[in-house]
């Protein structure tokens, strides 16, 4: 933690062995940071895979942001976390050791010059019409993100609002929530997703390569402008409790079929209800 930054009255950075502290902080405050969960070798491999998937001739423009929305299907290293016990021990504890399935995964490539990413919550009510994001972001899945360069407010870093993950959270002081509670805006202004990163409840996160940032499905978060000198690389995945049925869902993509087929036997229980991602899908009712 750097000096001169905002402080909280409780611990939110944990050693990977403190699974109960991690679970409790995420449950009570909507986020937690796990220090040095990944080895430097794993971080380097994930960086190389993010670059391989997302850095091409279209990624040379200053400020561009690119996404891969089924990254685990393309990343051997991210897939290896499904058998990496220090990680899975945390995941199981987050959900109270109920049977789990892989929910979704992603990677993000952000070049210097990228603007502020507006404040938002990943959760949205599953009310027609909704997208694949709207389906998979209403399953109770906590996001597990790895900022592979570390995260810092000067370099496209993440900010969250502690304790904003409850259903009745009223929004920051002086702000109104937008339709469906997706974001918020200052009272008296036109409704639009907030890009102001300087208000009392905004809490910038600082992390190092190898750290994991966990935040709850409803936790509000935003992204600072990227004023650094190298692409910001990140990736993440989430799980959901097994047994959730989805009606009228997209057909399982071929890449997801191949991923499931290639998983070792010990991983099969974690992927047998995995549905992949079809970003073009919209609900039919």
């Amino acid at each position: 933690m750097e000096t001169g930054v905002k402080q909280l009255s409780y611990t939110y950075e944990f050693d990977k062995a403190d699974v109960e502290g991690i679970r409790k902080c995420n449950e009570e405050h909507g986020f937690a940071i796990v220090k040095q969960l990944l080895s430097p070798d794993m971080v380097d491999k994930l960086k190389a895979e993010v670059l391989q998937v997302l850095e091409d001739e279209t990624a040379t423009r200053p400020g561009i942001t690119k996404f891969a929305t089924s990254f685990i299907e393309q990343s051997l290293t991210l897939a290896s976390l499904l058998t990496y016990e220090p990680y899975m021990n945390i995941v199981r504890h987050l959900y109270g050791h109920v049977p789990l399935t892989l929910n979704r995964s992603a990677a993000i490539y952000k070049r210097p010059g990228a603007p502020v990413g507006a404040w938002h919550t990943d959760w949205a009510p599953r009310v027609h019409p909704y997208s694949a994001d709207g389906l998979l972001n209403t399953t109770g899945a906590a996001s597990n993100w790895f900022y592979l360069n570390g995260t810092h407010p000067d370099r496209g870093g993440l900010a969250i609002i502690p304790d904003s993950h409850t259903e009745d959270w009223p929004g920051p002081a002086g702000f109104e929530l937008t339709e469906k509670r997706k974001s918020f805006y200052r009272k008296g202004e036109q409704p639009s997703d907030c890009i102001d990163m300087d208000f009392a409840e905004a809490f910038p996160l600082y992390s190092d390569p190898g750290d994991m940032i966990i935040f709850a499905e409803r936790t509000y978060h935003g992204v600072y402008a990227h004023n650094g000198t190298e692409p910001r690389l990140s990736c993440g995945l989430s799980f959901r409790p097994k047994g959730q049925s989805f009606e009228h869902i997209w057909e399982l993509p071929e890449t997801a079929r191949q991923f499931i087929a290639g998983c070792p036997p010990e991983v099969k229980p974690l992927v047998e209800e995995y549905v992949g991602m079809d970003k073009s899908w919209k609900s039919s009712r």
Side-chain angles (χ1 to χ4, degrees), residues 15-203:
D15 180 83
K16 58 181 175 287
D18 190 0
V19 291
E20 177 58 18
I22 295 164
R23 182 206 61 79
K24 186 176 180 181
C25 188
N26 185 62
E27 184 176 290
E28 293 184 357
H29 302 293
F31 80 109
I33 298 177
V34 184
K35 300 299 292 181
Q36 296 302 286
L37 178 61
L38 303 185
S39 69
D41 180 62
M42 295 173 76
V43 170
D44 287 343
K45 288 178 178 178
L46 285 170
K47 283 183 175 181
E49 290 166 346
V50 174
L51 290 171
Q52 182 179 19
V53 170
L54 291 176
E55 188 174 58
D56 57 20
E57 65 277 1
T58 67
T60 59
R61 300 194 306 273
I64 194 170
T65 298
K66 298 189 68 178
F67 301 87
T69 55
S70 300
F71 183 60
I72 199 168
E73 299 171 14
Q74 301 166 285
S75 169
L76 292 174
T77 308
L78 194 64
S80 75
L81 293 186
L82 302 182
T83 56
Y84 182 53
E85 185 57 22
Y87 172 70
M88 291 306 303
N89 187 37
I90 294 169
V91 169
R92 290 190 297 267
H93 208 80
L94 281 173
Y95 294 90
H97 296 272
V98 302
L100 297 173
T101 186
L102 178 65
N103 187 57
R104 63 178 304 180
S105 65
I108 303 175
Y109 172 99
K110 188 181 291 290
R111 287 195 66 82
V116 168
W119 286 94
H120 64 286
T121 176
D122 290 337
W123 181 90
R126 199 182 295 179
V127 177
H128 177 72
Y130 54 90
S131 66
D133 291 307
L135 185 75
L136 295 180
N137 290 350
T138 55
T139 61
S143 293
N144 306 159
W145 275 93
F146 301 97
Y147 281 74
L148 303 171
N149 319 80
T151 181
H152 189 284
D154 292 341
R155 306 191 303 269
L158 184 71
I160 60 99
I161 300 179
D163 307 312
S164 64
H165 63 304
T166 59
E167 293 186 29
D168 59 352
W169 183 67
F175 290 80
E176 299 278 0
L177 293 167
T178 60
E179 184 181 8
K180 298 181 180 179
R181 300 177 64 90
K182 188 64 177 176
S183 187
F184 43 84
Y185 60 98
R186 287 195 180 275
K187 291 180 179 179
E189 297 183 356
Q190 290 296 313
S192 63
D193 294 350
C194 180
I195 59 172
D196 181 358
M197 301 299 290
D198 185 16
F199 55 93
E201 293 88 343
F203 187 73

Side-chain angles (χ1 to χ4, degrees), residues 2 5 110-116 149-159 197 204-207 223-230 232:
E2 295 190 8
V5 302
K110 188 181 291 290
R111 287 195 66 82
V116 168
N149 319 80
T151 181
H152 189 284
D154 292 341
R155 306 191 303 269
L158 184 71
M197 301 299 290
L205 298 183
Y206 294 78
S207 69
V223 180
Y224 290 94
H226 188 353
N227 297 315
T229 59
E230 63 179 3
R232 194 211 73 180

